[in-house]
Amino acid sequence: MHNQTLLLIDGFNLLSRGYFATSYGRTEEELQKNSKGVYTNALTIFFQKMLNLVNEYQVTHLAVAWDVKREETKRRIDYDFYKATRSELPAPLIQQYEICKNVLDNINIEQLITPPYEADDAIGTVSSKWSSETNGHCYIYSNDRDLFQLLNENVSQVIAGKKGDIVYTINHFREDYSIEPNKWVDVKALLGDKSDNIPGCPGIGEKSALPLIQHYGSLERVYDHVEELDKKFNRCKKKLVEGKETAFISKQLAQIICDIPSLKEINFDKLKLNVLNEKFLSELEDLELRIRMVHINVF
């Protein structure tokens, strides 16, 4: 499978960023709607970005991964505090999510929804299968840095920045952090994650978490040596001892699952870009979305 490129889009990451970027400082009444009163501010950004990415990276295979309801996730079932601090999503965003899923269905784009697993896990399973079974590259489109743990020679992450997208590769990661991507979860285990309400090891912050993993190689090895820590980590010892339980729970929560049974057998032909061009245009027209169409050979 030479010259084949897979794009995995973190659906909610793109749709919600589009929504909040265009709703900032506006009431729901002021948001972009079409003549039927359907909200379209996030949909416009979603489909334009999807087209641009397919064009830019000469994508041959595509899937959009969606999260399942928070209370239905395996992590939430195991630990009820997981993501418990997140507020409810605005109604116009939920409406556009439902429409987005319908349009993708109608134009033949594969969607990954695999309860009780989350979008990250679906992306992890499919990207690792792709990189082990094909010679093609995989691009993950998301601003979620948890996904750094999935980077390898054949998997890169496209991150939106103020000056445009950055293609973040395994080499960038190694330069920035001096560890391997699969050790990122160990750093997250110590740091925690406020947005997901993952506690980490209380008192261990940015200045200590990464150096500890660089020095010892993993969370387990940090704790193997906790009684005789290198003296530069003396101030961490008490916090590490007191936070051991939450650190290990946090590692479990931060670890992306890369072996979802239902996706382990996925046939990549299902992900082949086979978009029905006329159907796509009519869907966009029906929603009155102003999208700049780009010429894509596979359409």
Side-chain angles (χ1 to χ4, degrees), residues 17-32:
R17 277 191 303 107
Y19 178 84
F20 290 112
T22 51
S23 63
Y24 184 74
R26 296 179 177 184
T27 64
E28 287 186 6
E29 280 311 301
E30 294 170 316
L31 297 180
Q32 179 185 312

Side-chain angles (χ1 to χ4, degrees), residues 199-218:
C201 182
I204 301 291
E206 302 264 349
K207 288 186 178 151
S208 309
L210 182 59
L212 277 162
I213 301 306
Q214 286 168 338
H215 189 86
Y216 291 105
S218 70

Side-chain angles (χ1 to χ4, degrees), residues 135-295:
N135 297 314
H137 204 77
C138 171
Y139 293 98
I140 297 169
Y141 183 79
S142 178
N143 273 34
D144 181 352
R145 287 164 195 268
D146 293 349
L147 294 163
F148 285 174
Q149 56 189 286
L150 302 177
L151 298 172
N152 64 35
E153 305 296 346
N154 294 321
V155 177
S156 305
Q157 187 169 341
V158 182
I159 301 169
K162 288 197 170 104
K163 295 179 179 173
D165 291 346
I166 299 155
V167 178
Y168 197 78
T169 66
I170 187 170
N171 292 333
H172 292 123
F173 181 86
R174 285 169 174 158
E175 279 167 32
D176 288 346
Y177 299 103
S178 301
I179 55 172
E180 287 301 299
N182 65 347
K183 299 300 179 189
W184 185 239
V185 67
D186 297 87
V187 178
K188 298 284 293 185
L190 290 170
L191 272 184
D193 187 330
K194 276 202 175 73
S195 70
D196 289 344
N197 204 32
I198 296 177
C201 182
I204 301 291
E206 302 264 349
K207 288 186 178 151
S208 309
L210 182 59
L212 277 162
I213 301 306
Q214 286 168 338
H215 189 86
Y216 291 105
S218 70
L219 185 70
E220 289 74 11
R221 283 181 59 78
V222 168
Y223 279 99
D224 286 346
H225 295 85
V226 77
E227 290 309 323
E228 69 282 349
L229 279 181
D230 189 284
K231 60 180 185 298
K232 66 184 171 196
F233 299 120
N234 277 346
R235 61 197 160 77
C236 300
K237 183 176 173 180
K238 186 166 181 283
K239 292 167 188 166
L240 285 168
V241 170
E242 288 171 357
K244 181 176 181 178
E245 187 184 356
T246 59
F248 277 95
I249 289 170
S250 297
K251 179 165 178 174
Q252 199 183 329
L253 290 171
Q255 180 79 59
I256 292 176
I257 296 160
C258 291
D259 55 0
I260 297 175
S262 62
L263 291 179
K264 287 284 279 181
E265 304 307 315
I266 195 167
N267 183 342
F268 291 133
D269 286 345
K270 276 181 79 180
L271 308 187
K272 261 190 184 156
L273 252 188
N274 181 23
V275 174
L276 309 165
N277 204 22
E278 287 73 28
K279 183 68 180 153
F280 193 19
L281 285 171
S282 77
E283 292 278 343
L284 297 176
E285 277 168 25
D286 193 44
L287 288 163
E288 299 165 29
L289 298 186
R290 288 188 293 282
I291 303 276
R292 188 174 48 79
M293 293 300 283
V294 286
H295 177 66

